[in-house]
Amino acid sequence: MPDRGGGPTGPRIRVGRPSRRARTLLMTLGVLAVLAMAFVMFAGFWTDWLWYRSVNYSSVFTTTLWTKIGLFAVFGLLMAAAVGVNIWLAHRLRPPLSAMSMEQQSLDRYRMGLAPYKKWVLIAITALVGLIAGASASGQWRTWLLALNGVPFGQKDPQFGLDVSFYAFDLPWYRFLLGFGFAAAVISLVAAALVHYLYGGLRLTSPGARATAAATGHLSVLLGIFVALKAVAYWLDRYGLAVKSSDFKATGNWTGLRYVDANAYLPAKTILFCIAVICALLFFATLWRRTWQLPVIGFGLMVLSAILIGGLYPAIVQKFQVQPNEQAKEAPYIEKNIDATRQAYKIDGAKVGDYRGTNDGGDNAKLRKDADTAASYRLLDPNVVSPTFRQLQQERKYYQFPQTLDVDRYNGQDTVIGLRELDLKGIPKRNWINDHFTYTHGYGVVAAKGTSVNADTEGGPDFTESGLPAKGALTDGGKYEQRIYYGEKTEQYSIVGGPQQELDYEKNGEDTKNTSYKGGSGVNLSNPLNRAAYAVTMSEPQILYSGAIGEGSRILYNRTPKQRVEAVAPWLTIDGDAYPAIVKGKIQWIVDAYTTTNGYPYASRTTLGDSTTDSLTTNQRAVVAQQNQVNYIRNSVKATVDAYDGSVQLYEWDDKDPVLQTWKKAFPGTVKDKSQIDPELKAHLRYPQDMFKVQRELLTRYHVEDPAQFYSGSDAWQVPDDPTTDAKGAVPPYYLSLKMPGDESQKFSLTTTFTPNGRPNLGGFMAVDADAASSSYGTIRLLRVTGDVLGPQQVQNRLSTNPEVTEFVRNTKGANSDIQYGNLLTIPLNDGFLYVEPVYAQGNNAQYPLLKKVGVSYGKETVFKNSLAEALNAVFGDKGAVTPPDEGDDPTKPPATGTTALQKAISDAQTAYGEGEEALKKQDWTAYGKAQEKLQDALQRAADAQQAPPAKQDPKAPEKKDPKEPAKNE
């Protein structure tokens, strides 16, 4: 045929199929792309499995995996079946299209285009909704495991008489099932309606009936199912009132039923349930009646009833019955809320007592004497002295200490402790080999006495464990595994144990030690498959072909204690502060872990991230909670992570916690019994800070148990802001060994203060026995202050305006230095409160602060002196003090008198003589001169002590040892 188009008549360019070679290449590339994506997904799965197997918690991986797969399969298939069957049924019930209206003619092209692909479209739609539903359901694996393994609490809610486990474990699962049912009903209804419309079962604009009888019956059944599910929702809502959160002016965040809930919403939900059941039956009846008249009327009545009965009626009850006499109406429900909240947060056992807080008179000599034993005054603030540790003990730039050090107990003494962890930013030359093969671990523990400083360093820490390698009294001269492969700051991966040697440590810039990891942790990279999987997972191709990896190479990752515990126990909420301890020759990270729920009836909720934030965690979350809000918490698990081999151990701590017992059923064998905790480890366990902060937040309101007083809020407290720092935030709790009123000896405690709402004076003082080895561990003591006592901010203000302080600040600033206020410690003492605060000075050219002054306040007296002893003498009017401390004495200790002074002088002379001999051997004449000066000073003090009259002592009183006097081996 000739060309009739009028265009050019040259040869035509034919667009044909690609050549065979091109098709083969495209197919090959497509297959390779699919295989690459499949391997990426497989690599993530495979490396997870290898990691869990390496830490001996493969059962956690498999249980979680199979639970997710099961939920995905079951609910994915259910959703796909529900939608697919309804689409198929709607298509099967389509009417014959004999008379084509204009509306149907416009849809005809869509039907024709869809006809060849109907089967595939059905499969695609059902597969898509099934995948989405399955993925959503797999995320509910915790909810399912709790419902499946739930253990009774043994406590019933006061409204319905159901065990708490119903609300904590069962109700969330029922709500998920209900939500899934609603989703399946709505999607099926929409899909069926579209198919009916496409094939003529529904007509929007055509004359005559709008729907065929078949479409009417089908859609009515789906609507009936939806309304039936709504009836179930109304019934569950009745129980949901027990865990419903609302705003209430008496508490702010309220959980549980109030008067209007019990007397309006509860009966309304029951009535709406009955109406919804009747309405659902009317929809089902259209299968026989073939009309929507009655069900539509019923549905309209249900909506109207929901507005009137479920909304308007409760508002009327609240307005005309509750508000005129709200306190009396709400009192029974407030009482239930108080009881449930105190039980849920374990503050119901708090021992509350009145405490005057003021000591207007009395024997100052006795006060001075009692002050020596009231507490072990921890003047070494772990939040301030980290730079000092770093400057004096860092040794190398590639080591670091945490910004906030930890407080523990060794040899009966409060100790500030930190680990010398690896800091990649300080490596001399950064490259892949150095970052991941050569520099792999930190080295050694550094610890100092919390109650004293070293006079030789003019206010620096008095180290009990130091050096590289570390040695000291804590570890019998350093006899422990000092290498730190797992730590709070160790976030990079390392490859160890292969042909590439690791740097162990360097000493004096000359003595370099190398090592090769011998621990059993990590994943073996000898297998090419493992190397390829980790090359993909770590996004590092060199892992696949590097010659530095060979036989015995192992990759270490997930190296922080928190990461490891969260991975092996994903059902736990982890405390924000892991701390190290030396146990049986190994460094163990101790991690506190919590079980939580937000389904405890009547217990008010709290947001963990907000409750645990203070001035030290202002810009970060102290707790990363699995549930944003909780209303039940238990420190149910104590976990340990070995700093060398990374092994994780979970120990049951609260054996009465039903949430823990439920998780133990779900993950059998993962948590060891409490009896398996080694006594040496138990000696270092302590009450966790985040638990304490949550409890103190609740006790600001729930220390009041009288409903009327609680409603009025007249005795509500607040946690004061930290007065020692410019950073906004609550004052952090402090670990401190102290003696509470009525106690005969000091106990290692965690303490905090309260002030009344809107006022700066002291309202309460809280302390909990934090020593896990104590029989009274976890006992909360709450002192309700009845007198007019200065609060922390007032004391800080009084101290800052003290003439001696202003002069010290002026002189320090003039010397181009700055000051830092340490922790403001509050100690109950003879019906009053003793405040003690260390003050540090740091030169602008210096890199670390030193303890220079101590502020002390008691009653109306506030002083600022060179040492704790001098400050205590001054605040108690110099009564009871024999002599001021010598300049060479420990500035944090009370003055030595009598025999004690003579013994100390002799001891100091022996120490000085030894230092002189050591300096003489090294021919260090500067050190030798200083040692001789110390020796002369000690001998003079010994002579003065021999001439001083002996201190008077009650002949019947037993001889007492100064609790702050260091042990002889220290």
Side-chain angles (χ1 to χ4, degrees):
M1 295 289 293
D3 184 11
R4 299 175 185 265
T9 59
R12 295 185 179 182
I13 300 175
R14 298 184 60 187
V15 181
R17 297 177 62 188
S19 66
R20 185 166 188 166
R21 176 181 295 181
R23 293 200 305 272
T24 303
L25 178 61
L26 290 174
M27 186 175 296
T28 302
L29 290 176
V31 171
L32 289 177
V34 171
L35 290 176
M37 289 187 292
F39 186 77
V40 169
M41 292 186 290
F42 168 78
F45 164 81
W46 184 243
T47 53
D48 284 348
W49 161 249
L50 292 174
W51 187 87
Y52 275 96
R53 191 175 64 175
S54 73
V55 292
N56 298 319
Y57 281 90
S58 55
S59 63
V60 174
F61 179 81
T62 55
T63 299
T64 305
L65 177 64
W66 286 115
T67 302
K68 290 179 178 179
I69 291 175
L71 291 173
F72 179 90
V74 170
F75 287 94
L77 289 174
L78 284 175
M79 181 63 77
V83 176
V85 166
N86 280 284
I87 291 176
W88 171 84
L89 186 59
H91 180 264
R92 184 178 179 84
L93 297 175
R94 68 189 184 279
L97 298 175
S98 55
M100 294 289 288
S101 65
M102 294 298 296
E103 182 180 9
Q104 290 302 315
Q105 289 178 12
S106 65
L107 293 174
D108 189 54
R109 56 175 177 166
Y110 296 107
R111 289 193 293 267
M112 297 296 294
L114 186 63
Y117 310 105
K118 286 190 294 185
K119 178 179 178 182
W120 296 108
V121 170
L122 177 62
I123 293 174
I125 292 175
T126 54
L128 179 62
V129 296
L131 288 173
I132 295 174
S136 176
S138 66
Q140 298 294 321
W141 64 271
R142 292 185 180 89
T143 307
W144 163 244
L145 288 177
L146 285 172
L148 181 66
N149 300 283
V151 172
F153 276 66
Q155 295 172 320
K156 295 184 178 181
D157 79 282
Q159 181 66 41
F160 301 101
L162 298 175
D163 191 88
V164 173
S165 61
F166 170 79
Y167 301 94
F169 306 144
D170 299 334
L171 188 59
W173 178 247
Y174 295 154
R175 288 191 181 278
F176 165 72
L177 292 178
L178 186 63
F180 178 84
F182 273 124
V186 170
I187 295 174
S188 297
L189 180 63
V190 171
L194 288 174
V195 173
H196 280 298
Y197 177 70
L198 182 63
Y199 287 95
L202 291 178
R203 303 179 182 89
L204 300 181
T205 61
S206 301
R210 300 298 186 196
T212 64
T216 300
H218 184 196
L219 297 180
S220 294
V221 170
L222 291 176
L223 286 170
I225 293 173
F226 178 85
V227 176
L229 290 173
K230 187 61 180 175
V232 176
Y234 281 134
W235 188 257
L236 289 181
D237 284 346
R238 298 169 68 255
Y239 303 109
L241 293 172
V243 290
K244 182 194 71 171
S245 288
S246 60
D247 291 329
F248 185 35
K249 69 179 182 180
T251 64
N253 180 17
W254 171 276
T255 300
L257 286 85
R258 290 157 53 192
Y259 181 90
V260 69
D261 297 311
N263 295 276
Y265 279 111
L266 187 58
K269 296 293 183 182
T270 304
I271 294 172
L272 288 173
F273 163 76
C274 296
I275 293 174
V277 170
I278 295 171
C279 186
L281 293 175
L282 291 175
F283 273 107
F284 294 140
T286 57
L287 287 173
W288 297 276
R289 292 180 55 86
R290 302 297 183 180
T291 176
W292 279 354
Q293 184 176 6
L294 286 178
V296 168
I297 293 174
F299 187 79
L301 289 174
M302 187 181 74
V303 173
L304 182 62
S305 300
I307 296 172
L308 296 178
I309 302 175
L312 185 60
Y313 174 63
I316 293 173
V317 172
Q318 178 69 24
K319 180 70 175 178
F320 296 103
Q321 290 191 30
V322 178
Q323 287 186 5
N325 191 17
E326 189 172 45
Q327 180 176 318
K329 294 290 187 182
E330 300 289 9
Y333 304 96
I334 292 175
E335 185 175 4
K336 295 174 184 178
N337 177 266
I338 292 173
D339 292 341
T341 302
R342 289 173 61 87
Q343 291 171 2
Y345 292 95
K346 211 172 184 178
I347 56 178
D348 54 328
K351 297 181 178 179
V352 184
D354 291 339
Y355 188 76
R356 188 170 57 174
T358 57
N359 190 323
D360 301 326
D363 186 354
N364 276 8
K366 183 178 185 304
L367 285 171
R368 176 64 183 84
K369 182 179 179 181
D370 291 343
D372 288 344
T373 59
S376 295
Y377 303 95
R378 184 175 47 71
L379 301 185
L380 198 67
D381 187 348
N383 310 310
V384 173
V385 298
S386 179
T388 311
F389 271 52
R390 182 168 59 250
Q391 180 67 20
L392 300 179
Q393 292 295 324
Q394 183 181 17
E395 302 288 351
R396 292 291 178 269
K397 288 184 67 176
Y398 48 80
Y399 291 133
Q400 63 178 322
F401 290 95
Q403 183 176 352
T404 298
L405 302 174
D406 290 294
V407 178
D408 202 348
R409 297 134 293 150
Y410 286 88
N411 302 321
Q413 183 179 68
D414 293 357
T415 300
V416 176
I417 186 171
L419 300 189
R420 192 185 285 113
E421 294 191 44
L422 182 66
D423 182 7
L424 287 181
K425 292 180 290 188
I427 293 176
K429 185 177 181 181
R430 297 292 302 275
N431 54 55
W432 188 64
I433 293 295
N434 278 347
D435 287 0
H436 300 289
F437 291 82
T438 304
Y439 295 88
T440 59
H441 59 279
Y443 208 96
V445 170
V446 177
K449 297 177 183 178
T451 56
S452 64
V453 295
N454 190 336
D456 292 343
T457 57
E458 300 181 341
D462 186 3
F463 291 110
T464 54
E465 190 80 17
S466 59
L468 183 67
K471 294 181 180 179
L474 299 190
T475 59
D476 192 20
K479 296 179 181 178
Y480 68 102
E481 177 53 70
Q482 299 197 25
R483 298 172 184 86
I484 303 163
Y485 283 88
Y486 296 88
E488 288 182 300
K489 301 293 183 181
T490 312
E491 297 180 347
Q492 74 284 356
Y493 72 87
S494 289
I495 298 176
V496 298
Q500 181 72 32
Q501 285 289 299
E502 308 164 45
L503 174 68
D504 204 15
Y505 64 89
E506 294 177 286
K507 191 174 182 181
N508 301 326
E510 302 172 357
D511 189 7
T512 301
K513 302 290 185 182
N514 292 326
T515 188
S516 183
Y517 184 65
K518 304 299 182 184
S521 65
V523 178
N524 196 325
L525 291 180
S526 300
N527 187 328
L529 176 63
N530 292 357
R531 293 178 66 169
Y534 278 103
V536 171
T537 303
M538 301 297 181
S539 300
E540 184 50 70
Q542 293 186 75
I543 293 177
L544 188 59
Y545 55 79
S546 174
I549 302 175
E551 189 65 30
S553 292
R554 308 179 72 84
I555 184 169
L556 312 182
Y557 63 105
N558 286 351
R559 297 171 71 181
T560 70
K562 188 172 182 178
Q563 283 177 330
R564 297 181 79 78
V565 176
E566 281 181 332
V568 303
W571 37 273
L572 290 174
T573 299
I574 310 302
D575 189 271
D577 182 33
Y579 60 98
I582 303 171
V583 180
K584 290 191 174 301
K586 296 182 178 180
I587 302 173
Q588 298 285 341
W589 287 101
I590 300 175
V591 183
D592 286 286
Y594 309 105
T595 48
T596 62
T597 181
N598 62 0
Y600 198 99
Y602 273 101
S604 290
R605 290 187 172 95
T606 186
T607 303
L608 289 182
D610 295 338
S611 299
T612 57
T613 298
D614 55 34
S615 63
L616 301 179
T617 59
T618 302
N619 296 320
Q620 60 184 356
R621 290 291 186 187
V623 170
V624 181
Q626 294 164 356
Q627 297 146 319
N628 188 35
Q629 286 194 327
V630 304
N631 66 354
Y632 172 93
I633 185 170
R634 290 291 185 272
N635 176 213
S636 53
V637 171
K638 301 284 188 181
T640 62
V641 177
D642 192 292
Y644 180 69
D645 63 24
S647 57
V648 182
Q649 304 295 337
L650 305 176
Y651 296 100
E652 179 183 52
W653 186 246
D654 189 342
D655 53 7
K656 296 180 181 179
D657 175 28
V659 181
L660 175 61
Q661 301 307 317
T662 297
W663 285 120
K664 286 180 66 177
K665 284 180 62 180
F667 295 95
T670 57
V671 181
K672 296 184 177 181
D673 290 340
K674 188 175 183 178
S675 59
Q676 294 182 260
I677 299 178
D678 189 275
E680 189 172 337
L681 170 62
K682 191 174 184 179
H684 294 283
L685 300 181
R686 68 188 191 188
Y687 201 83
Q689 291 189 65
D690 284 337
M691 179 79 174
F692 183 80
K693 285 189 278 189
V694 170
Q695 289 175 319
R696 76 172 179 178
E697 180 67 26
L698 270 297
L699 279 170
T700 58
R701 292 170 290 150
Y702 287 93
H703 68 278
V704 177
E705 297 185 62
D706 178 69
Q709 188 179 6
F710 186 91
Y711 175 85
S712 68
S714 59
D715 198 21
W717 292 340
Q718 64 186 9
V719 179
D721 287 338
D722 188 352
T724 66
T725 178
D726 293 333
K728 293 183 179 180
V731 61
Y734 296 127
Y735 286 105
L736 178 70
S737 291
L738 59 78
K739 183 163 44 174
M740 289 289 285
D743 289 348
E744 296 182 356
S745 60
Q746 296 179 12
K747 294 179 180 178
F748 185 68
S749 304
L750 191 54
T751 66
T752 192
T753 53
F754 299 101
T755 57
N757 267 349
R759 297 181 60 196
N761 58 295
L762 194 65
F765 178 81
M766 175 181 174
V768 63
D769 187 348
D771 185 356
S774 170
S775 59
S776 58
Y777 170 84
T779 300
I780 296 175
R781 298 281 298 277
L782 193 59
L783 303 181
R784 183 187 289 112
V785 179
T786 59
D788 188 8
V789 183
L790 296 180
Q793 292 174 322
Q794 293 174 311
V795 171
Q796 184 67 42
N797 181 64
R798 176 178 285 189
L799 179 65
S800 301
T801 56
N802 184 287
E804 292 181 88
V805 177
T806 55
E807 181 182 0
F808 173 74
V809 171
R810 183 170 57 252
N811 294 337
T812 304
K813 297 284 187 182
N816 199 27
S817 299
D818 201 359
I819 67 168
Q820 292 186 47
Y821 291 104
N823 39 217
L824 181 58
L825 304 177
T826 308
I827 298 100
L829 175 64
N830 291 24
D831 289 331
F833 283 99
L834 179 67
Y835 289 95
V836 177
E837 181 175 37
V839 179
Y840 296 81
Q842 178 176 348
N844 289 342
N845 296 325
Q847 300 193 9
Y848 59 97
L850 296 172
L851 178 64
K852 291 298 182 183
K853 295 282 186 176
V854 178
V856 171
S857 179
Y858 186 82
K860 299 179 180 179
E861 296 292 332
T862 300
V863 300
F864 186 69
K865 299 299 179 183
N866 292 327
S867 68
L868 174 62
E870 189 178 345
L872 290 175
N873 290 340
V875 82
F876 294 117
D878 288 328
K879 296 180 180 180
V882 178
T883 56
D886 294 312
E887 293 183 2
D889 288 346
D890 184 341
T892 67
K893 292 181 179 176
T897 60
T899 306
T900 304
L902 177 60
Q903 292 174 344
K904 177 167 176 48
I906 294 173
S907 175
D908 290 346
Q910 291 173 339
T911 301
Y913 178 79
E915 291 175 353
E917 291 296 308
E918 187 68 24
L920 197 59
K921 291 179 183 178
K922 297 180 179 179
Q923 295 186 348
D924 186 346
W925 305 113
T926 302
Y928 180 76
K930 290 183 179 180
Q932 291 303 306
E933 291 176 2
K934 291 181 183 179
L935 178 60
Q936 292 298 325
D937 177 75
L939 292 175
Q940 182 61 48
R941 286 190 281 115
D944 293 344
Q946 285 180 315
Q947 296 175 2
K952 293 182 180 181
Q953 182 176 350
D954 185 353
K956 297 181 181 180
E959 184 179 1
K960 294 184 178 180
K961 186 178 183 297
D962 188 346
K964 300 178 188 63
E965 192 70 17
K968 292 182 179 180
N969 61 356
E970 295 178 351

